[in-house]
Every structure is written in structure tokens, then in C-alpha cells.
Amino acid sequence: MSLLFEPLSIRGITARNRLWVAPMCQYSAVDGVPQEWHHTHLAQFASGGAGIVIAEATAVTPEGRISPEDTGLWNDAQRDAWSPIVAAVHARGALAGVQLAHAGRKASTWSPLTGRRGSVPHDRGGWTTVAPSAVAFDGFADPVALDAPGIERIVSAFADAAVRAVVAGFDVLEVHAAHGYLLHQFLSPLSNRRDDEYGGELEGRARLLLRVVTAIRDAAPDTAVFVRFSATDWADGGLTVDEVATVAAWAAERGADLFDISSGGLVAHQSITVGPGYQVPLAAHVRRTTGALVNAVGMIDDAAEAEAVLADGAADAVMAGREWLRDPHYALRAAWELGHDIDYWPAQYVRARPHARS
């Protein structure tokens, strides 16, 4: 019996398996509105057997977009455009999630599809970015430090976006506190130089994230809430996995259901040695320390490797990104490779099922 294909229940929902699609930015929205590309992109993974399909980092304010081409949930037009996409994922048997995000000082940047790097000038559609402190990411424009009213607007924007996401039909709300974006910027001492209640020791640096989790839980009391963390900055003096485990425990007390453990992205001088499953030990540490549900992510591109992550007790589920792009039917393939029979092959594709009669 494959652990990877055991269902997992979380706050009233049940994922049909534990091989999920990580959020991956497509840089293809118009005014924050997802397009036909997003519909096809996300629905194909559900056809391919994913347990949960999580949509890309979706900004809670216009200024929270990584690029002008990012998706959003700050208005009802965006909500209504997401609704049929969510329905398509559901129709194919998967749960649908969305990653609620604010890019902070890493906002207003050129989409990688343009081949450019750095901040978009104001006269080309860019905007002034915000951050915990007026400290720029290397090569990007200087941000403005958020004041108290600005912080209140951020918390409200996450809650409002959560309500829109629930109306659109999403089953999972993932709070993006990783990869150097705003909530991660507050968590790390490398980017948070504040001397007020949102800075200093870990409790202060975690305050905004915890307020966001609380606001989302209050706005969506019955919906599963995940938090994606960068468990280390891979840089001296940065956020550590022990600190992240502590913050995760605090977030669980405020209603977070699962922690999605990634790493890095805060500073350009990070030093990472990557390889298959290189972030799995970080997930294992958070799971062991908190006792909470955790998923692992990062170069877990092989069915046997994914199964081993669960068998070793390192995580409760596995997310993948690039492997789903290479093979949108990763879960169907993985079930066959692990010798596990599943009953959710699309009827239209059964003729291609291994050992099926033609």
C-alpha cells in the first residue's frame, strides 16, 4: 500500500492522495485577472491525478504583485474569474488551493517572461514597494517602510482576499511567508530592522504573520489554512529552522492547519547546495518539533523518492513544481511506478493506462 496515495483529511476536506501541485507563478494575468492559460494550466494537473492543486502566488493588493502580470484577489472581478478555474479542478477530482501573497520589497519587478531583471520603472507600469524596513533587495528599487496604518491595511487585505477565495470555491488558503516576500521579510532579521512591536526579537518579527493567520482564520473559519515558510535564509544572521518551528507552533495555535516548508529567497547572497530532496530535513524538523501536519517540497521529482519522504516520517505530503510542468500526469505515473492501483484515471485516458486492454 503506497503512503503517497493514502487520502489525507484536513479541517473537513480530504485530498485523494498526498502528491500535490506547488504554486507556480505564470506571469500571464491581466490586471490581476487569471486568463484561459491559468484554466488549462491548473485543470491539467487535476486530470493528472493531483490531490491538491495550489494556484500561484496571488496578490492581496495591487502593490503586492511580484510583477504587473501576477494574479490577484483584491477585487470581485478577479474572484469571479477564478471561480470557473476552481470548478474545473474540482470536476477532475482534485482539491483547489490558492496562495495568498504580498511581495513587499520584491514587488514591481519585471516578469521573467520578458527576459529582464530588476524593478519596473513607474513610467512602465511599476510602483513604489513597501517592506518592514527601507532596505532594498539587491538590484531592486528602494522600498518604503510600512507605517502602522499600512500594516493594518495589509492584514485587512489578506482577510478580504480570503473571503473572495472562499466565494470562488477554493478549498485551501495558503499564506505565503517564504521566498523573500513581505511576511518573510518581517520574519527575518536580515530584512527587518524595525524597533517597534513588529521588529526585534522573534515574537515581534512574527507578529504580522500571526495577525494575518488569525485574520484569515476569522474570515474563513471552516477553510483549511496552510502557511508556506522559508525554513532558513541560507545566510549568516538570517532566519533559522528552529525559529521557523517556533513560529509554526504559534501559527498552529491561531488556526493554521499545515506547514509547507521551503527555503531561501530573502537575500541575493544566500548560499544553497541543492539536490534531490534538499529541503526535506527542514520539513522533518518542523514536523518533529511542532507535531503539526507538514509537507515537503523541492526537487522531489521521483515517485520512489516521494514515497520515501512519507515512509521516513519526514512529512505528511509532498509538493512538486517543475516535475508537474514536465509531466502534468505525474500522479498517474507515480501510482503505476509504485504499483498502486488508483480509480481516478480519467475515463478518456484509460486506454493509455499501463496494462490496460486497447
Side-chain angles (χ1 to χ4, degrees):
M1 188 74 175
S2 167
L3 296 175
L4 198 62
F5 288 90
E6 284 189 359
L8 180 62
S9 296
I10 307 168
R11 194 176 287 269
I13 58 172
T14 299
R16 60 186 174 183
N17 62 46
R18 301 173 186 231
L19 184 55
W20 305 342
V21 179
M24 293 177 282
C25 290
Q26 298 298 292
Y27 305 102
S28 300
V30 178
D31 295 328
V33 176
Q35 304 294 301
E36 174 58 28
W37 175 266
H38 298 88
H39 189 288
T40 302
H41 167 68
L42 295 168
Q44 67 179 338
F45 302 133
S47 295
I52 303 179
V53 179
I54 301 185
E56 65 193 76
T58 296
V60 299
T61 70
E63 298 77 20
R65 290 172 293 170
I66 303 167
S67 80
E69 293 78 27
D70 278 22
T71 56
L73 265 170
W74 67 81
N75 66 40
D76 291 350
Q78 295 156 355
R79 177 201 65 194
D80 295 344
W82 278 117
S83 185
I85 297 172
V86 173
V89 171
H90 286 161
R92 291 159 175 80
L95 299 177
V98 62
Q99 188 179 64
L100 302 179
H102 192 298
R105 69 180 188 174
K106 292 179 76 175
S108 188
T109 59
W110 292 106
S111 157
L113 305 188
T114 68
R116 301 180 181 182
R117 187 184 182 280
S119 299
V120 179
H122 285 222
D123 61 2
R124 299 292 299 276
W127 56 88
T128 300
T129 61
V130 297
S133 305
V135 179
F137 184 83
D138 187 45
F140 290 5
D142 291 337
V144 172
L146 278 164
D147 58 14
I151 288 175
E152 295 303 319
R153 288 193 293 271
I154 295 292
V155 175
S156 295
F158 271 97
D160 291 345
V163 171
R164 291 190 182 95
V166 171
V167 172
F170 284 107
D171 308 288
V172 173
L173 309 176
E174 177 165 277
V175 180
H176 199 354
H179 301 165
Y181 298 123
L182 183 65
L183 299 179
H184 183 188
Q185 291 161 29
F186 269 86
L187 284 173
S188 177
L190 294 178
S191 48
N192 186 340
R193 314 280 178 82
R194 300 176 74 95
D195 58 8
D196 64 0
E197 62 180 333
Y198 291 94
E201 298 301 317
L202 182 62
E203 185 176 6
R205 289 183 275 121
R207 190 178 305 277
L208 177 57
L209 169 61
L210 298 178
R211 287 195 62 198
V212 166
V213 171
T214 299
I216 289 175
R217 174 50 67 220
D218 289 345
D222 301 320
T223 305
V225 174
F226 295 1
V227 180
R228 171 166 273 196
F229 284 108
S230 279
T232 173
D233 289 334
W234 300 108
D236 290 343
L239 195 63
T240 70
V241 66
D242 286 330
E243 289 179 315
V244 166
T246 297
V247 177
W250 293 341
E253 292 171 356
R254 288 159 176 79
D257 298 298
L258 179 144
F259 302 108
D260 174 8
I261 304 302
S262 188
S263 70
L266 184 85
V267 291
H269 62 273
Q270 64 186 10
S271 179
I272 310 175
T273 300
V274 301
Y278 72 103
Q279 296 176 149
V280 170
L282 301 171
H285 181 86
V286 174
R287 185 177 191 264
R288 182 172 58 251
T289 302
T290 65
L293 293 173
V294 165
N295 79 260
V297 66
M299 297 184 70
I300 306 173
D301 300 334
D302 176 84
E305 292 172 358
E307 181 75 12
V309 169
L310 303 187
D312 292 344
D316 301 280
V318 169
M319 283 191 196
R322 290 175 176 85
E323 189 60 21
W324 282 103
L325 297 183
R326 287 185 284 264
D327 179 4
H329 303 105
Y330 182 24
L332 301 183
R333 190 189 83 225
W336 174 69
E337 290 176 351
L338 295 171
H340 186 87
D341 188 35
I342 56 176
D343 62 4
Y344 43 85
W345 268 76
Q348 298 89 337
Y349 291 176
V350 165
R351 74 187 72 179
R353 186 175 185 174
H355 310 305
R357 297 176 66 87
S358 59

